Amino acid sequence: MSTRRWALAMLLPCLLSLTGCLGPMSGSDRRPASSPEDIPAPVVLSFWNPFGGGEGEYVERIIADFNASQSGIFVKQLRLESNEYYARLGTALSFGSGPDVAVVHADRLSPFVKAKRILPLDGPAAQAGFRFDEIEDANLRTVRFDGQYYAVPLDTHFHMLYYNKDILAQAGLLNEDGTPQLGKGTAEEFVQFLQRIRDRVPEVQPIAVNTPYFHESFLDLYDEAGGELLSPDGKTATIHNDKAVRVLTFYRKLFAEGLSDLGDMTPWDTFDSGRAGLWFGGVWEAGHYLSNPSLNVGIAPLPPLFGSSAHWGSSHTLVIPAYATDKKQQAAMAFIRYFSETGSSLWGEAGHVPANKAVVQSRDYLQLPYRPLFLESRATVKPAPKTDKYAALLTSLSEDLQSIVRNGTDPDAGLAAAEKKLNQILAN
């Protein structure tokens, strides 16, 4: 066949169909290879959390980065106030209409597991390619129930000693290396240290005490003294003892001698504004305080005022509700994996100590200010007892401790009444 006859043979079907080789003739019929209607809509995840303040800004960045990293999932957050968070979360989970992924503190997991409100994550994690052995062992122990993991730990958080270097220098209590002159850190030496601040810099509080969440301040020092909240079998409360009395007597002395202001309802702001020399603050505040250009701050482990370095701590974890569909489970697990493996780098900048081994051991994390000291303090965190009544116990204890310090109740009598209430909770 000649070249001309071959070309005509090839062109003829096109001319007859008017659409084949020359393409569609009508502009209205044109459709791109991948039109918007061909692209599936992303799975939208509702993420509930209680993160506010400085740490909330880091969560927003993690969510934004995750949403930008892919197109199949879109995370939107609902941020709730911490004092209402668990009440609303518990109601939502019980009615099967709430978040698709949520934050739960490790010490709050047990009742949700017992009520079967959250999913065991071994299967979803394996499907998403997430490995639990990437998480620190101490964190994993807090989320394992009946041989299964019910949450992915994000961090360990606890309190450190924040100090205003300018105030301590003015009081003559700052070493040349920028650390406070605390001596051996006994309770007696600590009181003397605060008295010097009071006498030499009278316009500031020597130490701002977290009276709004006083149970944490109490547990820090009660743990140092070797105190226990519950008996080894978890059946009875053990809060009424000499150790607890000593801790409450210590705090009452600070308030009585003008070393701290009992009426200060925002002590974190008092320190942030340079009106307090010391503050037992959370590691989650580090990113905020260290970025404050008007605050010359240092950070150290809590001093062993009552004989040991043990202290209060907790952990944020991520969970998936039991009502989640397979599609939502897969999307939620993908977000959880991203938060743990990638977002944890930002979470570490906020101040929380990441639970992900690779992140917390990375050079980038260890080069952040004071992080080796954070790791030192993490090693002495005392986990909460594993009980499904911990939330009720802590609420009751917090109310009674507030009453003791604010109303001038005798510590021994107040603790006896507090322990009785705790035992009633445990018995029911």
Side-chain angles (χ1 to χ4, degrees):
M1 182 181 294
S2 68
T3 301
R4 181 178 296 176
R5 290 175 61 194
W6 177 84
L8 181 62
M10 294 297 294
L11 182 60
L12 185 59
C14 299
L15 295 174
L16 292 174
S17 67
L18 297 179
T19 60
C21 295
L22 299 180
M25 302 301 290
S26 170
S28 62
D29 290 334
R30 291 193 186 100
R31 292 184 64 190
S34 57
S35 62
E37 53 264 36
D38 293 331
I39 301 173
V43 178
V44 178
L45 291 179
S46 175
F47 173 37
W48 284 22
N49 67 75
F51 297 128
E55 61 184 353
E57 299 171 7
Y58 288 89
V59 173
E60 289 177 359
R61 291 169 59 188
I62 292 169
I63 293 172
D65 289 348
F66 173 75
N67 287 338
S69 72
Q70 44 73 52
S71 59
I73 305 167
F74 183 81
V75 175
K76 59 179 183 179
Q77 73 164 326
L78 175 62
R79 181 186 298 165
L80 299 170
E81 292 297 324
S82 57
N83 58 357
E84 65 173 329
Y85 181 73
Y86 283 105
R88 290 189 59 179
L89 179 63
T91 300
L93 294 183
S94 64
F95 280 98
S97 58
D100 302 307
V101 59
V103 169
V104 176
H105 286 80
D107 45 45
R108 300 274 191 142
L109 284 170
S110 185
F112 293 123
V113 173
K114 185 178 181 180
K116 299 182 179 179
R117 303 297 188 202
I118 58 176
L119 290 172
L121 298 184
D122 299 71
Q127 189 175 4
F130 177 79
R131 293 173 48 186
F132 278 98
D133 61 5
E134 295 175 350
I135 303 298
E136 294 284 345
D137 292 342
N139 292 104
L140 286 180
R141 287 193 290 270
T142 67
V143 301
R144 190 172 179 84
F145 299 83
D146 299 322
Q148 297 186 90
Y149 296 116
Y150 279 81
V152 172
L154 294 179
D155 59 53
T156 305
H157 54 268
F158 43 88
H159 295 136
M160 299 287 286
L161 172 64
Y162 291 84
Y163 54 96
N164 186 308
K165 293 183 180 180
D166 293 335
I167 292 175
L168 296 195
Q170 188 177 346
L173 295 170
L174 198 68
N175 293 314
E176 290 185 2
D177 63 357
T179 59
Q181 297 175 1
L182 290 173
K184 295 181 180 178
T186 65
E188 293 75 14
E189 286 180 311
F190 193 71
V191 168
Q192 293 170 5
F193 184 90
L194 297 177
Q195 289 170 339
R196 293 190 186 101
I197 298 176
R198 180 196 60 194
D199 297 341
R200 298 171 184 176
V201 195
E203 64 271 19
V204 303
Q205 279 189 63
I207 183 171
V209 172
N210 193 358
T211 50
Y213 297 92
F214 184 67
H215 59 281
E216 293 179 3
S217 302
F218 170 81
L219 288 173
D220 274 329
L221 302 190
Y222 184 57
D223 287 342
E224 284 191 356
E228 299 287 347
L229 183 61
L230 302 180
S231 59
D233 61 7
K235 294 182 179 180
T236 58
T238 56
I239 201 73
H240 180 213
N241 55 57
D242 290 343
K243 297 171 183 176
V245 169
R246 287 173 57 210
V247 169
L248 287 179
T249 301
F250 169 80
Y251 278 117
R252 288 177 55 144
K253 182 179 180 66
L254 300 189
F255 301 134
E257 295 193 7
L259 303 176
S260 186
D261 181 3
L262 180 60
D264 187 354
M265 299 307 296
T266 56
W268 43 85
D269 288 336
T270 299
F271 183 80
D272 190 36
S273 61
R275 293 178 288 121
L278 303 178
W279 162 242
F280 289 178
V283 290
W284 57 90
E285 298 168 299
H288 173 73
Y289 288 146
L290 290 170
S291 64
N292 181 347
S294 64
L295 188 67
N296 188 11
V297 65
I299 309 175
L302 296 182
L305 304 183
F306 288 86
S308 81
S309 297
H311 55 101
W312 170 89
S314 188
S315 169
H316 294 112
T317 77
L318 294 180
V319 303
I320 300 177
Y323 54 70
T325 63
D326 288 345
K327 191 174 184 180
K328 291 279 191 175
Q329 288 181 39
Q330 293 171 17
M333 199 64 224
F335 172 62
I336 291 173
R337 178 182 178 182
Y338 178 91
F339 201 128
S340 175
E341 297 178 357
T342 304
S344 283
S345 295
L346 270 177
W347 203 225
E349 290 182 27
H352 294 285
V353 180
N356 187 287
K357 293 178 183 177
V359 174
V360 81
Q361 295 169 7
S362 69
R363 185 175 181 179
D364 287 345
Y365 176 78
L366 294 174
Q367 287 182 338
L368 292 171
Y370 300 102
R371 271 27 178 216
L373 292 178
F374 286 19
L375 295 182
E376 178 184 321
S377 291
R378 182 186 65 170
T380 57
V381 163
K382 187 173 183 177
K386 223 172 187 180
T387 169
D388 56 11
K389 297 182 178 179
Y390 184 75
L393 293 170
L394 201 61
T395 298
S396 178
L397 178 62
S398 177
E399 292 173 352
D400 286 332
L401 290 172
Q402 285 278 352
S403 177
I404 291 171
V405 297
R406 292 196 177 279
N407 299 331
T409 305
D410 175 71
D412 188 70
L415 288 166
E419 183 171 284
K420 183 177 180 180
K421 292 180 184 178
L422 297 183
N423 282 325
Q424 289 172 345
I425 294 170
L426 292 167
N428 294 328

